[in-house]
Each structure stands twice: as C-alpha cells, then as structure tokens.
Amino acid sequence: SSWSSTGPSTKFELERETELRLEVEGTDPVRVELVSGLAEVFGTELTRNKKYTFPPGSRAAIFTWHGCTVQLWGSPDMAYVSRDTPMLLYLNTQVGLEQMRVQAEREGERGPRVLVAGPSDVGKSTLCRLLLNYAVRRGRRPTLVELDVGQGSVSVPGTMGALCVERPADVEEGFSAQAPLVYHFGSTTPGTNIKLYNKLTSRLAHVFNLRCDSNRRASVSGCLINTCGWVKGSGYQALIHAASAFEVDVVLVLDQERLYNDLLRDLPHFVRTLLLPKSGGASERSKECRRESRDQRVREYFYGPRGSLYPHAFEIKFSEVRVYKVGAPTIPDSCLPLGMSQEDNQLKLVPVTPGRDMAHHLLSVVPLDGGSAEEGIEERSVAGFIVITGVDTERQTLTLLSPAPRPLPKCVLLIMDIRFMDLK
Ligand code: ATP
C-alpha cells in the first residue's frame, strides 16, 4: 500500500518460541504484518498478509510457537525480539485447565474457576486474555470476570463486570463486548469503598452461578477472574473474598512470591495455588500512562474503537434527573444514627444536587423498569454511561454526552469519581 512506502519498514525473522515486543508511544501508529509462518498476539492468531495497527500507547508481543516472518512499518519506541518468555509455562497452565474441563464434562461437574492475582503491571490482564483465547480456540465458552476497577477490559473504568467469551479477542480491539454484565463501582481503586467492592464481587459470583446452572457449556468452561494490583491490607482481603465468593479452584499468582505464600496459607487446601513468572515484556506503566489508557477506554465507549460511533449531545433539566453517589463519607462511629454501622454507610445512596462540580464526571445509567423502587440500586446492572459536559446553573440545565439519543430512559444516575474531558 502507499502507507508502506512512506514509513520506515523492518523485517523480523522470529525463531520458534520467541516474541517480538513492541512499545508504541508518540503520535504515530505502528503496523505489523505476518508474512510467513504462524504467530499470535496474546493468544489470538494473526491472519497472514493482513496489516494490524497498534496505536500510540500500545504494548504488545507477537509470539510464535514455530517460527515466522513479520514485517513492521513505523517507528515504535521499542521493538526487540525476546527468546526469554514464560509462554511455555502459560501453555502448560492452559493444558492443566483444559484437563479440568474435560474431567468436569465427563463427571457432570463444573469447570475451573481461576483467579489471577499479582501486583500492578505484571501481566494479569494479559494472562487472562491468553488463557481465555486458548480456551475459546478449543471450543470452550469461558467467562471473563473483571474485578479490576482501574484498568478493566469489560467496560469503562470504575466498573466491575463479566463477559461470556465466544470468540478470540480481536488483536486491535480486545474482546468484543456485545452484552456484558456491568456494575457501577464509581472509582478506580477498590479502597474508596471496599464494602461496595466486595458486595459487587459477591453479586457477580451469584449471577455467574445462575448462568452456570442454566448453561452447561458455560459451567464446564469456567471463568477467569482478573483482579486489581492492590494486594495489601483490604486489597488482599478483597482477593480472599473473591476467591471464596466464586469458590475458585485455581489461583494463579504472577510474580510475587510473598503474595503466593500468603494465599497458600489463607486459602482452603483444595484450591490449587500456582506461582507463575511475569513476562519481561509486561513493563511498568507510569501514572500518566494509566490515566491516558483509562481516558482511552472512555473515549472508545462513546466514539467506538475506531472512532466510528457518533455519541449524542443534549440538554436536560436539573429536575429531570435523579443523581446519587453510592456511599456516604465516613463519620465518627459516635455520630452514626442508632443501629447503623459504618458499613451500612458505605452502601447508602446519597442524593447529589446537580451543580457546577458535576461537570466532566462520568455517570452510570441504571434503568428503573416498571416502577421498581430505588432500593438496591447499587446492586443492579448498568445500561450505559453518560458524561456531563456542561452545567448551566442559571437555566438549571445539564449538557450530556450520551451513546443514545434523548430522552434518557426512566433511570437513576450514579455518579463516579472519574472525570472525562471530551476533547473530540
Ligand atoms: P494492572 O494491574 O495495571 O491491571 P496487569 O498486571 O493486568 O496490570 P497487563 O495490563 O496485563 O498487566 O500488562 C501490562 C502492560 O504490558 C500492558 O500494556 C500489556 O499489553 C503489556 N504486555 C504484557 N505482556 C507483554 C509482552 N509479553 N510483551 C510486550 N508487552 C506486554
């Protein structure tokens, strides 16, 4: 194509069991084409002679089991071939999980429920993606459970959710989220409301159990649970809670021996806990980089992964919406109303009066169907998200960015700590 003649181009010959690692920064994307042989990106096979685009901010590895030739266009910040990958260990893990599925199938039991844990940037999401891809390529229908409220892959940041994986992830766009199950959490770290976090974890486990009861294939395929990199204190307790809520069979700990030992000690003996090395390619991301990738997720929600969607902008009156925040600020125990605990306080719906400080916040839309009361709102699934792009206190109106045209459905809005600047 004309593109290939303008950018610098490099050819990489990859030997078996090696990978080409890429880091793309700056402003220009990098393109990659598999010229010969077989290769995959985090478990998704590449199609030969197809150009894949990696936009700025991407990090990826093109791995080959048998050897291949790859052509690259553009100037990535980093592009190098590594022979030192943990892929064989990851593949062995997949083989073990697949054996558990075969056994579950034979014996009418349920398949492996796997929790992936570890500190930040050790490749937890990537390992989940790889194992889900390998499972779906074997004809399974595993569920991805996303408990990472900071860098989740099911929906926008500040949410928790689950997704039934029916085909391998798209190399450029990840798993397609046709109808994910999504819950509002409201911030990017579980620590802001650990009570709500644990409650939603239990809720997801409950809904997954119901699905397994009615869908044998989903039950046999099991799930992969991606978690946050916060592994100390309440973050650690939240991992233990998730393991017990989902009644996990396998825990994969990436990189951190101490976490592995703690989990080995604290989880029931029938849970198989494994320590796996992290990939040298999973490198630390700066705060800035994490913020940018969160922004990118929100942008993709409204504008589509390729910028092909057109969100709607419209005004509504203050009086037309009911906005809440989940969780009241903690107050001294002595000031709590009689019979109320600090924990109840964390699940309380606190009304928020529309005003200037609502500008740029992301809000979850929780539909109220058929006159249902507002009780238990925090435990209901979310239909979508809006951003408040403008507030006019004089005219008492809010301007919204919304994926759907007006009017908003009959709903309650839950406000997030997360802000998004719509610069498009
Ligand atoms: P967090 O705790 O922040 O969610 P994480 O542990 O889930 O992080 P990942 O998001 O899976 O980590 O990986 C961190 C980054 O490293 C990602 O950008 C990912 O694409 C990249 N990465 C992972 N494995 C490789 C690899 N083998 N080669 C190149 N890049 C990689």
Side-chain angles (χ1 to χ4, degrees):
S1 73
S2 59
W3 211 91
S4 54
S5 56
T6 55
S9 153
T10 326
K11 198 171 248 174
F12 292 89
E13 304 284 349
L14 302 186
E15 283 170 35
R16 62 195 292 264
E17 288 170 39
T18 64
E19 68 186 21
L20 171 63
R21 291 179 184 155
L22 295 177
E23 262 185 46
V24 188
E25 263 147 47
T27 51
D28 295 328
V30 162
R31 289 185 195 210
V32 171
E33 181 183 321
L34 175 66
V35 179
S36 68
L38 295 173
E40 53 186 47
V41 170
F42 305 140
T44 305
E45 282 189 290
L46 294 185
T47 305
R48 209 171 295 162
N49 301 126
K50 177 177 166 175
K51 284 199 178 65
Y52 294 92
T53 304
F54 295 90
S58 4
R59 295 180 188 192
I62 292 131
F63 178 86
T64 178
W65 288 108
H66 305 288
C68 71
T69 308
V70 168
Q71 184 89 35
L72 181 148
W73 292 271
S75 329
D77 287 76
M78 200 135 72
Y80 67 97
V81 177
S82 172
R83 306 165 170 278
D84 184 19
T85 82
M87 285 292 280
L88 212 49
L89 290 166
Y90 294 175
L91 180 67
N92 285 340
T93 309
Q94 152 62 16
V95 171
L97 295 178
E98 187 52 31
Q99 276 166 2
M100 292 172 82
R101 293 183 186 113
V102 170
Q103 186 178 343
E105 214 160 31
R106 203 171 46 217
E107 294 173 11
E109 283 166 9
R110 61 174 211 216
R113 297 176 171 202
V114 186
L115 183 109
V116 177
S120 294
D121 296 326
V122 290
K124 296 181 295 299
S125 318
T126 306
L127 180 62
C128 286
R129 177 164 166 175
L130 182 82
L131 295 174
L132 289 162
N133 275 336
Y134 284 170
V136 80
R137 281 167 60 183
R138 300 282 312 233
R140 304 298 180 184
R141 291 294 176 269
T143 300
L144 164 61
V145 177
E146 186 57 82
L147 303 184
D148 185 352
V149 290
Q151 307 275 333
S153 53
V154 165
S155 187
V156 296
T159 63
M160 298 160 78
L163 183 69
C164 176
V165 177
E166 300 190 321
R167 62 190 70 85
D170 183 276
V171 170
E172 293 160 353
E173 295 169 17
F175 291 111
S176 63
Q178 294 276 298
L181 177 68
V182 181
Y183 293 102
H184 167 95
F185 177 68
S187 90
T188 57
T189 153
T192 35
N193 193 337
I194 200 75
K195 175 82 182 172
L196 177 64
Y197 185 79
N198 288 334
K199 188 168 188 187
L200 292 177
T201 301
S202 299
R203 178 80 200 157
L204 276 164
H206 174 69
V207 175
F208 179 57
N209 283 336
L210 290 179
R211 182 171 158 80
C212 290
D213 287 346
S214 66
N215 186 325
R216 185 80 197 117
R217 197 169 182 194
S219 173
V220 163
S221 300
C223 65
L224 275 128
I225 307 168
N226 187 32
T227 61
C228 293
W230 182 35
V231 295
K232 289 188 186 140
S234 306
Y236 179 73
Q237 292 309 324
L239 284 178
I240 299 282
H241 173 79
S244 102
F246 279 89
E247 302 179 306
V248 300
D249 311 283
V250 178
V251 173
L252 304 176
V253 183
L254 278 171
D255 195 50
Q256 207 186 81
E257 209 172 336
R258 203 190 113 191
L259 177 64
Y260 165 73
N261 284 317
D262 288 351
L263 288 168
L264 208 55
R265 182 194 63 214
D266 294 339
L267 291 174
H269 65 274
F270 55 80
V271 178
R272 291 191 224 178
T273 306
L274 267 80
L275 179 65
L276 289 171
K278 85 175 193 68
S279 165
S283 50
E284 222 167 282
R285 289 170 291 183
S286 62
K287 262 211 169 95
E288 182 55 33
C289 178
R290 287 168 170 275
R291 216 183 39 98
E292 177 49 45
S293 91
R294 283 201 288 267
D295 262 16
Q296 183 57 25
R297 296 284 306 171
V298 181
R299 203 171 301 122
E300 276 173 20
Y301 173 77
F302 288 104
Y303 292 96
R306 296 169 201 272
S308 56
L309 298 179
Y310 296 93
H312 300 260
F314 54 88
E315 279 190 351
I316 51 171
K317 295 205 186 77
F318 284 1
S319 59
E320 284 177 81
V321 285
R322 273 177 296 172
V323 184
Y324 295 96
K325 181 174 165 25
V326 188
T330 40
I331 50 175
D333 284 331
S334 58
C335 301
L336 281 171
L338 204 62
M340 197 174 173
S341 72
Q342 204 69 257
E343 297 203 328
D344 299 333
N345 216 27
Q346 283 197 294
L347 297 178
K348 220 176 133 182
L349 285 186
V350 184
V352 184
T353 316
R356 228 181 282 285
D357 47 7
M358 218 176 244
H360 309 299
H361 277 269
L362 188 62
L363 292 88
S364 304
V365 179
V366 184
L368 286 177
D369 25 59
S372 58
E374 289 175 19
E375 204 156 309
I377 281 287
E378 78 285 354
E379 262 196 299
R380 292 205 212 147
S381 60
V382 168
F385 306 91
I386 56 162
V387 169
I388 309 275
T389 51
V391 181
D392 188 330
T393 45
E394 232 150 77
R395 293 173 47 236
Q396 301 263 299
T397 59
L398 300 169
T399 310
L400 311 182
L401 189 68
S402 157
R406 69 185 325 155
L408 281 179
K410 190 169 185 298
C411 69
V412 158
L413 299 175
L414 299 178
I415 191 162
M416 298 212 194
D417 291 347
I418 301 163
R419 288 152 161 268
F420 174 71
M421 293 287 193
D422 185 28
L423 298 173
K424 190 148 173 170

